[in-house]
Amino acid sequence: MESVAPYLLVCLLLLLVFAGVEIAVCLGIVSFLAMYSATQDIGISLSFLNSTAYEALRQYLFAVVPLFILMGQFIAQSGAAADLYWGIDRWLHRIPGRFAYATVLGNVVFAFVTGTSLASATTFTAIAYPQMKEAGYNRHFSLGLVSGSACLGMLIPPSLLMVVWGILTDLSIGHLFIAGVVPGFMLAALMMAYIFAITLIRPDLVGHGSGRRQPELDDAGPHVARGIASARPEPTSLDMTISLTGLLAIMVGALGGIWVGFFTPTEGAGIGALISLVVAIAKGMRWPAIYETVLLAARTAIPLMIIVFAAQLYSRTLAMSGIGLTLQGTITGSGLPEWGIVLFMIVIWLVLGTLIDSISIMLLTVPIFGPVALSLGIDPLVFAIVGILTIEAGLLTPPFGLIVYAVRSVIPTENVSMKAIFAGSTPFCVILLVTIAIILTVPETVTFLTRLI
Amino acid sequence: PAQAEKIRLKIASGHSPGWHFIELAQDYFVPEVKKRVKERTSHEIEFIEGFSGSMVKATEVLEAVQTGIIEVGVFCICHEGQKLSLHNFPYYLPFGPSDPNISLKATRIVYDKRPELNEVFAKLGQRVLGLIPFEPYDIVSRFPIEKASDVKGRKIGAAGPNAFWVAQAGALPVSVGGPDMYTSFQTGLIDAMLIFPGVMDTLKLYEVAPYLVRVAIGSMTVVPVTVNGRRFDRLPKEVQDIFIEVGRDMEAKAGPFTTELVAKILKVLEGKGVKIATVSDSEREAWSKMLVNEPAKIAKKFEAESKQPVTEIMKAYIAATESLGHKWPLKAKLD
Amino acid sequence: MRKFLQGVDALTKAMMIFTAFCALGIAFLILVEVFARNAGLQFYGAAEYIRNFLIVIVFLQLPFAIRVRGMLVVDIFVDSLPKRAAVPVSIVGDFLGLLFFGAVAAGSMDPAIAAWVEGQYEGEGVVDVPAWPAKFSIVIGCGIAAFYYYVRIVETLRSGQIAARSRGTPPAI
Ligand code: NA
Ligand code: NA
């Protein structure tokens, strides 16, 4: 592939995406054509597809995706999460936007036990979104909120991105974990400040001022929270006890188990799914509903996994076309000032973030950017957190916001356009960028805790 | 003279540049081939590097070279337990030479003596340009280990063909991948891991597991650098010669390079407060005893599967190591 | 043709249900492994089985996702296209889908047969997990996926309009 080819690839891809071709097909066909035009060999091109299909998803870690989705669906369908939100509703009586706060805080807690944002996004879409919808929250706002606060999953330890970053840059993973804590809380605080502002400026977005329930056009289809969303009686205290004990059991049993080392994150997801099944049965869920839930979870997980496969094809194609070398030459030969180079790298991350998944972005850029940043005298921990935040921001931007897709795929039967979710997540993307700006101006936010140790 | 050609080749691995064998490929093989081709021929070579799995995963390099997805590949034979069961022999024979230099030399003797080894690669559409040894396998641990019985009932991270070394000693093998190693130690999911001193350093495992137990279970020469056969045959003759020559030179460097690296890493780890202990000869013998029947079982299985002389190759390796001065704590029963 | 399509639909639905419960099966396998390990028992290969199972699950589910139009798309621009433009664009998209998944299926055929004939397995010596189920899943899943894109093209050409994406009730198959 000659040096213009990478840019052509990107353009063709964008064209197909905006023409409404299914994302997986766009990524896949462009990779296939690029491979063919580079090798002029149909055999090699087909082998490339086959090899990636067989190997890309064959990772133990990826089992987390369907299992956490299953867990989230059981929690949601059984009504346990709904009970929790009823509880919050009662306890935080008359605090405007309480479900929004609860979503952020819930994500903070969940982030301490999960290593991927996708898990947070899918779980909280299933748990929190139906509640907010029921409470009359604006759909764009609440889906954006679920997407945005899912980013906490990667910033608060444990974090898969940090582990990979540490390996690529030879940084202490323990230090990286600690470095993420303060920015993580900072991000959560900023999100809550934003919610507070919303409750003052646009109370209608959080279900106030225009009647309790917004009229919806799309309620005809059976939707995810079928078991909970329709007018239902207030849960009895027995209901509440089962639900809260169940949720606690999942936190302690599955997620706590990961934390204290009984099992790996994948195993934790499996145990969590089983505990949530038990909770669902205790909540009165029976065979037909269990059957439906299992099918729904699968239908949610698969399009996501197929996109991961296609994204792998595309990032491999980029690597094989040598775009990395082109970029390194561009940076070192640019003669930009330090802040200019940092800004440049941030822009590249954001652009790549619109196209491919975060791990692939890191594989492609960190080996190039890391040494550049080091030579500029930037603290590697600060650079790592900035990088992770930026890549996370990319997951919220169109056309390839993986988190947004995850959110969308959990509510397959709702009539919500991608555009609407992207619009809702934009403020959160801005909050991420503000956090990045704060960290770059006050690097101590990152290094402070690690210096204590 | 042949017409000047600009040759673009992809060199890839599932492993990252933190590994010494990738360092050899990236900092020696690639620039050296480029330099010599430029100096001695009218051609020019450009390598597109795809390390860290950015083009292929560790488990698909062999096949990717075979099908031509990439032209040059660097990988561990341990990931090809079935297709390269004939080449995986150092793993079947624990407590072989711990000096990477001797391991490499012995393995080279076997490759030169037994044509089957290169023939299998040829059938898989590629040729070996050079071999690189691993660092010796040691145990990184959260607790001190002095005897073989100390691992009994412990959760030990051991993936791939080395799992039986600890399983036979009564440990509970846990399948743990590279990126998960640190957190697995941190959370106590694993108590110990069969791994190289260099990995303890690059993955900062010493932060969560302060003991390095030198069991001297052996250095394995299982990393080949291979090139796609069809593409190689189409290269100009003088470029082919340079590939073969640089491959050989890289291999000649690899032994001393790895040996020196281990010494350097041990110093670094010591400086970082890692407690380094050596397992006594009598304990190694006791451990060997638990494994003494395994090699024959493994050989039988793979011989039946591959119709290749696995036992003969193992015997050749034992003889080669002994000719280089290695003393096995206990000889495996192979007949 | 209609009979054939009905048959494929039935197979697709059966595969969807089967693999959906496989995900629950993975959870149980994990439970057994965790229990064994924490009880001090040696238990091999759960991770290896799950890794390979994952491929089976994903690719056997794929046809259903395509049939009910559950795959993800960016709808920023297409929703505002006039029908005259939207129909050809949709046909091109479906054709690319046919081409892509057809290519994956075609490229995976020989390796799948080889895996069967040669008795290939995964597992690096600890456990031997046969490779053919995962490899044939890719062929079957992507093959049916390609067929469904063909069906879509035919349907669009015949009716002159694009079938709705799965937002309400998925088509009953
Ligand atoms: Na986390
Ligand atoms: Na994005």
Side-chain angles (χ1 to χ4, degrees), chain A residues 353-355 394-398 400-402:
Chain A
T354 67
L355 298 170
L395 294 185
L396 293 175
T397 56
F400 288 88
L402 267 187

Side-chain angles (χ1 to χ4, degrees), chain B residues 89-98 102-103 106-107 110 165 216-220 281 284-286 288-289 291-292 295 313-334:
Chain B
F89 53 86
Y91 275 102
Y92 313 152
L93 298 162
F95 298 103
S98 266
I102 295 182
S103 157
T107 308
V110 180
W165 301 339
I217 209 153
S219 156
M220 322 273 145
D281 285 350
R284 292 177 65 228
E285 202 173 306
S288 272
K289 217 174 244 166
L291 304 176
V292 76
I313 297 279
M314 285 160 77
K315 281 182 180 164
Y317 181 62
I318 293 174
T321 55
E322 284 177 335
S323 76
L324 293 167
H326 177 67
K327 288 197 173 53
W328 296 79
L330 201 68
K331 252 200 224 172
K333 288 182 199 148
L334 284 176

